[in-house]
Amino acid sequence: FSRIQYGVLVLLPYAMLVVLRYGGGGHWGGATVSNAWLAPLASLPLSVPHLRAVAFGGKDGADLNSHVGGTALLQFAYCVLLTTSLLIFQ
């Protein structure tokens, strides 16, 4: 169950970008969503090695420790890109 949960929690923010773009009313706190939603997608390729190792791979235990830090960097990159794009397209 935890592998599925990891995969969902890593991919859900990207899915929410699409939902907010096409079904969220068109604005995020005054920013126009038409362009702002694209920038965080640049961090999606960073998720591939972590998803392969944790959600779809056979690594267990201590072998997953490096992917914990990698997931934190992925979340940070996503947040920086989202925040920057919302500020630019405000």
Side-chain angles (χ1 to χ4, degrees):
F1 176 74
S2 61
R3 292 182 186 275
I4 295 169
Q5 182 181 18
Y6 176 85
V8 168
L9 291 174
V10 168
L11 294 175
L12 188 63
Y14 299 103
M16 289 306 300
L17 286 173
V18 176
V19 169
L20 289 172
R21 168 61 179 103
Y22 292 107
H27 293 285
W28 287 343
T32 303
V33 181
S34 61
N35 296 317
W37 74 285
L38 292 171
L41 293 176
S43 66
L44 188 58
L46 297 174
S47 70
V48 173
H50 307 299
L51 285 170
R52 282 186 182 160
V54 179
F56 306 117
K59 289 189 176 184
D60 288 319
D63 293 336
L64 296 175
N65 287 341
S66 64
H67 298 287
V68 172
T71 303
L73 289 174
L74 169 66
Q75 291 174 347
F76 180 71
Y78 179 93
C79 291
V80 167
L81 289 168
L82 179 62
T83 303
T84 304
S85 67
L86 289 174
L87 289 173
I88 290 172
F89 294 108
Q90 189 171 19

